[in-house]
Amino acid sequence: MKGLIQRVTHASVTVDKQTISAINIGLLILLGVEKTDSAEIAAKLCRKVINYRVFPDDQGRMNRSLLDAGGSLLVVPQFTLAADTRSGTRPGFSVAAPPDQAETLFLEFLAVSEQLLGIAAVGRGQFGADMKVALENDGPVTFLLEVEGKPE
């Protein structure tokens, strides 16, 4: 499972010209699900994202997590993040999870996020929709986090 996180001052998701979710200071995560992923892997990545230290402390060092900063999380399913881009000039999607599995694991990631942060601090994209994602990347700060294999 892959999560592209971006520290944001604000971010939103729009579907059919309607804003369906928005956050202020926090993290936007684009979530890519692969065939080998499981609920345990989704929970492990979620805990990693929420505890990843990307917010500045009093000295300006990235030493505070989303929990420490009291920020929000916007989770957006991103099928193309699971693409195999190692060769050629066209992405391959053979490792991407099928839609049913991907949606189940997206919802599992959301459930763990809401449990750790509180439901009011978690926004979501719409699985399978044509979404428009707007954000103001703070820094810019962007990291690709990956979790694979058996959970710890």
Side-chain angles (χ1 to χ4, degrees), residues 12-66:
S12 63
V13 178
T14 302
V15 176
D16 295 327
K17 299 182 181 178
Q18 297 291 320
T19 299
I20 62 166
S21 194
I23 64 167
N24 288 314
I25 294 171
L27 293 175
L28 166 67
I29 178 169
L30 304 176
L31 189 67
V33 182
E34 298 176 340
K35 288 178 184 176
T36 57
D37 292 334
S38 65
E40 292 80 16
I41 289 172
K44 183 177 177 182
L45 179 61
C46 182
R47 287 189 301 273
K48 186 172 185 173
V49 167
I50 288 170
N51 290 293
Y52 212 66
R53 297 183 301 170
V54 297
F55 291 90
D57 62 16
D58 293 338
Q59 289 75 41
R61 293 189 175 128
M62 284 193 284
N63 209 17
R64 298 176 70 220
S65 70
L66 185 62

Side-chain angles (χ1 to χ4, degrees), residues 4-11 22-30 45-55 62 64-67 69-76 109 117 121-123 135-138 141-143 145:
L4 183 71
I5 62 170
Q6 297 180 72
R7 189 177 73 192
V8 298
T9 55
H10 63 270
I23 64 167
N24 288 314
I25 294 171
L27 293 175
L28 166 67
I29 178 169
L30 304 176
L45 179 61
C46 182
R47 287 189 301 273
K48 186 172 185 173
V49 167
I50 288 170
N51 290 293
Y52 212 66
R53 297 183 301 170
V54 297
F55 291 90
M62 284 193 284
R64 298 176 70 220
S65 70
L66 185 62
L67 280 173
S72 299
L73 180 67
L74 179 55
V75 184
V76 177
F109 189 98
L117 292 171
V122 180
L135 68 132
E136 183 173 273
N137 191 317
D138 181 20
V141 174
T142 303
F143 293 96
L145 304 180

